[in-house]
Amino acid sequence: MDFSLENIISLFEKYSFWIVFFGMIAENALFLGIIVPGISLLVISGYLMFSGGIDGTGLFLAAFFGTLIGDNINFLMGYYGANR
């Protein structure tokens, strides 16, 4: 699969909620925000939402719960994994 703009947009149109959900988890947990930039996922998804390709409510919920779960994973790793 080549990484052309058409392939990326079709991938986002098919799996947008899952991409945003797991992308937000990966950005907020394990300091993966450097590797997985969540803002670029949200910009692409926001463009598709504006153009009518995907549902805004589902996109918001996927981003919200992905961020919430990723942040809690990060907190729990620091709470239970760090020496005091």
Side-chain angles (χ1 to χ4, degrees):
M1 176 179 190
D2 76 68
F3 290 105
S4 67
L5 184 60
E6 292 83 21
N7 287 339
I8 292 173
I9 289 175
S10 68
L11 186 68
F12 264 88
E13 286 176 346
K14 289 179 189 173
Y15 305 109
S16 60
F17 304 125
W18 293 111
I19 292 171
V20 169
F21 179 72
F22 287 116
M24 292 294 105
I25 287 175
E27 181 190 28
N28 290 301
L30 296 172
F31 300 109
L32 292 178
I34 297 169
I35 300 169
V36 181
I39 190 69
S40 60
L41 295 175
L42 291 178
V43 167
I44 294 169
S45 300
Y47 169 75
L48 291 174
M49 181 185 69
F50 180 73
S51 66
I54 56 176
D55 178 39
T57 305
L59 181 66
F60 172 75
L61 290 174
F64 177 76
F65 285 113
T67 302
L68 186 69
I69 291 170
D71 193 40
N72 282 320
I73 289 171
N74 200 14
F75 170 75
L76 291 172
M77 284 178 13
Y79 187 77
Y80 290 112
N83 292 331
R84 293 185 187 193

